[in-house]
Amino acid sequence: MADDRNDSGTVGSGSQQEKSDARARSWENPTRKGEIALAFDPGERTPDAGLVYIGHAKTPWVGPGECPRNIRQARERAEAEAGLGFSLQIDEPYRPGLADYRPGQVVFVLMWMDGARRDLIVQAPKHRERPAGVFSLRSPVRPNPIGLSLVSILEVEQERGIIVVDALDCLDGTPIIDLKPWTQTADIPAAR
């Protein structure tokens, strides 16, 4: 992905160049039987909120056919294929925010899946017998293509903005929009 930086060094300004780069990264994703597409592309609507990219992912996956479908598959491939490396590269202005991260910590990584379709509201996944509403799926194809992965930190280099993690299930260069620590006391729902 092209690095679209504004004067402050941040990424994700939403510029025309950035949108063009995302479209260029998009792959062919035809509508399947039973799927319903919106009559508009949510990405072309006036945004409700502004997002900035705080960095990007470094992964061995360069095309959609290579990328695992979920974090479990990414971990399985990392165990089976020696030498696969995964890291989060955080842009300079945001590096002080890494101050309390440490190896062994578990964090949620929120990613902007910039090559995904945004117009499907009902999808027909290959692993399901019938179509399903987009909000009941983990697919990156959604009105706001936000990906979520729970990863373990292996190394942190705050000054350089590098967090080495156990695995990632996104393409190389995928924009990172946020990091949040996993907390057992807050993130496990109560049994009902």
Side-chain angles (χ1 to χ4, degrees):
M1 184 181 109
D3 221 13
D4 182 27
R5 297 178 185 276
N6 62 26
D7 292 338
S8 67
T10 61
V11 180
S13 62
S15 70
Q16 286 305 109
Q17 178 63 42
E18 187 171 276
K19 291 174 186 173
S20 176
D21 290 346
R23 277 191 219 99
R25 244 183 108 172
S26 182
W27 53 89
E28 185 63 31
N29 194 356
T31 303
R32 295 182 186 133
K33 182 179 179 182
E35 292 183 331
I36 299 172
L38 296 169
F40 59 91
D41 179 350
E44 294 180 2
R45 290 256 164 132
T46 301
D48 294 323
L51 291 173
V52 295
Y53 300 158
I54 63 168
H56 62 278
K58 295 293 290 176
T59 76
W61 328 121
V62 295
E66 298 174 19
C67 190
R69 299 182 85 54
N70 56 54
I71 196 69
R72 178 188 51 80
Q73 289 178 358
R75 285 190 181 101
E76 289 171 355
R77 290 199 31 206
E79 288 178 19
E81 299 175 39
L84 295 182
F86 307 90
S87 65
L88 307 171
Q89 308 287 311
I90 305 303
D91 292 336
E92 195 280 323
Y94 307 107
R95 293 175 187 170
L98 304 177
D100 295 315
Y101 278 150
R102 65 192 182 290
Q105 189 171 5
V106 178
V107 298
F108 290 105
V109 179
L110 286 90
M111 302 160 280
W112 189 259
M113 308 305 263
D114 58 345
R117 267 182 87 166
R118 298 181 69 176
D119 65 332
L120 288 184
I121 201 69
V122 173
Q123 294 180 41
K126 293 177 184 176
H127 68 279
R128 290 200 176 197
E129 290 182 22
R130 59 181 191 266
V134 68
F135 303 121
S136 68
L137 300 169
R138 301 268 315 242
S139 167
V141 176
R142 51 198 326 108
N144 290 308
I146 297 172
L148 173 71
S149 291
L150 189 61
V151 302
S152 295
I153 295 176
L154 304 178
E155 297 174 33
V156 180
E157 294 182 45
Q158 180 183 350
E159 299 78 30
R160 294 180 55 211
I162 298 171
I163 303 173
V164 178
V165 296
D166 64 328
L168 286 167
D169 56 339
C170 63
L171 295 177
D172 188 50
T174 296
I176 304 301
I177 57 174
D178 207 352
L179 303 172
K180 293 183 181 277
W182 177 82
T183 307
Q184 184 172 359
T185 55
D187 294 320
I188 296 178
R192 297 195 181 230

